[in-house]
Amino acid sequence: MRLFPPSRIVCLTEETVETLYLLGEDHRIVGVSGYAVRPPRVRKEKPRVSAFTSANIPKILALEPDLVLTFSDLQATIVADLVRAGIAVHAFNQRTLAGILAMIRTLGALVGAGEKAEALAAGFERRIEDIRGTSAGHPRPRVFFEEWDDPLISGIGWVSELIEVAGGEDVFGHLREAGAARDRIVLPDQVIAAAPDLILASWCGKKVVPERIRARPGWDAVPAVRNGRIVEIKSPLILQPGPAALTDGLDAIRRAIASAHAYEAL
């Protein structure tokens, strides 16, 4: 018999893990993604049962979950396997700031913590608007967010929005509505033509190598490269559509933009 609220939850992406911890509902989690690192103690407290596009289905079933939380079409095969095994699954698909906030509220409702989730989401909303307000009226550096290096992939929706909240202009902001990475591929010559003042790079789970960016043919003409404005933002901070992106991820973007402003003032 399934319980409400669910008492045994498996989270196959990190943002739902962090959200449940922030809501004080982490006692419900019985399994997590191997990428879950927030809060740090999760790696010691919860068994790891999946990567991102693959999962140990027998291990998940052995945990006897009454709810599994997933994200995006990239986990559709995992979802299908779990559903066929009789497991209740909720698949999130947030790609924007509004979507992230809705995810927090929905997750709160799913675990019977609606009021706490509303307070958490409202706090993030106020933070975003306060930061947006402080950046208003200042020069906006042109920013290229590099989500992957080969092929070049520009920033997904919530990343593009956060760049604007922090006071930057995403040079490929018109691609933000494209959820699939293949639809956000850009050519090196397009980046050169866009002439970003700042390059933010987060290579989706692997270390950014600025030397490779600087060595690309013709990129010495890009203002960000010429002026040494290449900044790595760690993937767990910005590429998971949850609390991390709204806090540490946004702050990392703000610092990079502030540094660009300081350089221009010299």
Side-chain angles (χ1 to χ4, degrees):
M1 182 175 67
R2 306 205 184 283
L3 300 177
F4 180 82
S7 61
R8 299 184 62 79
I9 299 175
V10 170
C11 302
L12 299 188
T13 53
E14 57 267 43
E15 66 276 355
T16 50
V17 173
E18 183 177 12
T19 300
L20 286 171
Y21 269 88
L22 289 172
L23 293 175
E25 300 293 332
D26 48 287
H27 59 281
R28 303 182 187 279
I29 302 173
V30 295
V32 299
S33 159
Y35 292 105
V37 295
R38 294 172 64 96
R41 71 179 192 270
V42 69
R43 297 186 70 82
K44 295 181 179 179
E45 294 180 351
K46 308 296 181 181
R48 286 166 281 181
V49 299
S50 73
F52 182 57
T53 58
S54 63
N56 188 327
I57 301 297
K59 191 171 184 179
I60 293 173
L61 297 180
L63 293 171
E64 299 183 341
D66 43 26
L67 179 64
V68 176
L69 302 173
T70 70
F71 170 73
S72 91
D73 57 299
L74 295 177
Q75 294 191 327
T77 300
I78 301 171
V79 170
D81 289 342
L82 292 170
V83 170
R84 279 192 287 265
I87 302 299
V89 178
H90 186 96
F92 287 103
N93 202 23
Q94 68 275 14
R95 308 296 179 108
T96 63
L97 295 185
I100 293 172
L101 295 167
M103 178 276 292
I104 292 170
R105 291 180 166 105
T106 299
L107 183 51
L110 286 171
V111 300
E115 290 186 6
K116 288 189 290 185
E118 176 57 36
L120 182 63
F124 287 142
E125 284 177 323
R126 288 191 297 272
R127 184 176 200 272
I128 289 168
E129 291 311 308
D130 287 347
I131 292 171
R132 194 192 304 274
T134 62
S135 68
H138 294 283
R140 303 181 74 84
R142 293 170 57 76
V143 181
F144 170 49
F145 187 93
E146 184 170 303
E147 188 177 307
W148 193 247
D149 62 324
D150 187 19
L152 294 177
I153 297 175
S154 64
I156 198 167
W158 71 84
V159 175
S160 179
E161 289 183 87
L162 288 174
I163 288 169
E164 293 186 354
V165 169
E169 177 188 349
D170 179 5
V171 296
F172 295 111
H174 60 286
L175 298 178
R176 72 170 57 163
E177 301 299 331
R182 65 178 176 274
D183 296 326
R184 289 181 279 111
I185 293 174
V186 297
L187 299 176
D189 286 350
Q190 290 178 291
V191 179
I192 294 172
D197 304 300
L198 172 65
I199 294 174
L200 302 177
S202 188
W203 288 353
C204 200
K206 70 177 182 178
K207 183 176 177 57
V208 171
V209 184
E211 292 78 11
R212 290 189 198 167
I213 296 175
R214 287 193 289 267
R216 291 170 184 161
W219 281 43
D220 53 343
V222 174
V225 175
R226 188 172 62 242
N227 298 324
R229 307 311 314 160
I230 302 172
V231 178
E232 178 180 14
I233 299 180
K234 299 296 184 182
S235 298
L237 302 185
I238 195 65
L239 294 184
Q240 61 104 324
L246 307 184
T247 55
D248 293 348
L250 176 53
D251 288 346
I253 296 173
R254 292 174 70 196
R255 286 192 296 271
I257 288 176
S259 179
H261 281 317
Y263 179 88
E264 293 298 324
L266 293 177

